[in-house]
């Protein structure tokens, strides 16, 4: 299972590095951005699983970064936790109305921030937190690395397991080959996109080993979906 990627957008070096240290200690892959422009560029290159976004930054503010990302269909679903020293209710409301999924006031407890971060990840990538995934008669348990269909235990290789986990997190959603490469193989490993097709074929075979309809859907020119 690929580790969840958090984009940390903070222009103050000391705060950025302390927070990055704590995130990495919790098992997250951390991308760093020192300003809003850099954050938007990084997201366009490879979407993170979650964004920790400081409000007060020069040039492009965190609020504007949030607004732009939530307007784009391809980035709208990325959870954004806004970090701000602005503690007035009107500021919290403004941040949330702009599209932030959570609002944390500085100075904050790192323990509380991690709990809020995990709550957001539980919503978008539950398997990375060890939570079982179910869809119709298919069940995947990341803790025991066990997959069953209609009660029968299926034999999946590690790549097929990660592939199924990704598809199970968003049944019905079409994942492009590039998105699956990022989620299943990781951003730092070069794999030809045709490799995805090979492993989808293996996953199909495993899921139908004991009968039942093929639950995987191929969308020509777009990618693959579960259901």
């Amino acid at each position: 299972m690929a580790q969840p990627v958090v984009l940390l957008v903070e222009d103050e070096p000391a705060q950025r590095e302390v927070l990055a240290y704590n995130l990495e200690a919790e098992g997250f892959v951390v991308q760093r951005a020192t300003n809003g422009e850099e954050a938007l560029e990084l997201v366009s290159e490879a979407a993170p699983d979650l964004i920790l976004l400081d409000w007060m930054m020069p040039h492009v503010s965190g609020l504007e970064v949030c607004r732009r990302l939530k307007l784009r269909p391809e980035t709208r679903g990325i959870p954004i936790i806004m970090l701000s020293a602005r503690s007035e209710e009107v500021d919290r409301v403004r941040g949330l109305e702009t599209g932030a999924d959570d609002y944390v006031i500085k100075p904050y407890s790192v323990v509380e921030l991690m709990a809020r971060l995990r709550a957001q990840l539980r919503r978008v990538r539950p398997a990375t937190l060890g939570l079982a995934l179910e869809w119709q008669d298919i069940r995947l348990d990341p803790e025991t690395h066990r997959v069953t269909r209609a009660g029968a235990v299926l034999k999946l290789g590690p790549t097929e397991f990660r592939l199924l986990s990704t598809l199970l997190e968003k049944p019905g959603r079409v994942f492009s080959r590039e998105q699956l490469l990022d989620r299943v193989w990781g951003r730092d490993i070069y794999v030809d996109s045709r490799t995805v097709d090979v492993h989808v074929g293996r996953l199909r075979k495993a899921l139908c080993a004991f009968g039942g309809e093929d639950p995987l859907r191929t969308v020509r020119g777009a990618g693959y979906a579960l259901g």
Side-chain angles (χ1 to χ4, degrees), residues 2 163 166 175-197:
L163 184 58
T166 298
F175 288 88
S176 69
R177 289 172 177 80
E178 290 71 25
Q179 289 171 328
L180 291 172
L181 285 171
D182 277 348
R183 288 286 188 90
V184 177
W185 282 267
R187 292 168 169 81
D188 300 325
I189 299 175
Y190 176 75
V191 179
D192 190 286
S193 61
R194 287 172 294 183
T195 303
V196 176
D197 302 333

Side-chain angles (χ1 to χ4, degrees), residues 83-95:
L83 307 176
S84 176
R86 294 170 176 260
S87 59
E88 296 295 326
E89 182 181 10
V90 65
D91 294 317
R92 293 198 300 273
V93 170
R94 188 179 172 199

Side-chain angles (χ1 to χ4, degrees), residues 70 76-82 96 99-103 120 123:
K70 292 299 182 178
R76 187 178 297 149
I78 303 172
I80 295 176
I81 298 179
M82 188 79 74
L96 294 169
D101 298 270
D102 201 353
Y103 190 99
Q120 294 297 329
R123 180 170 61 82

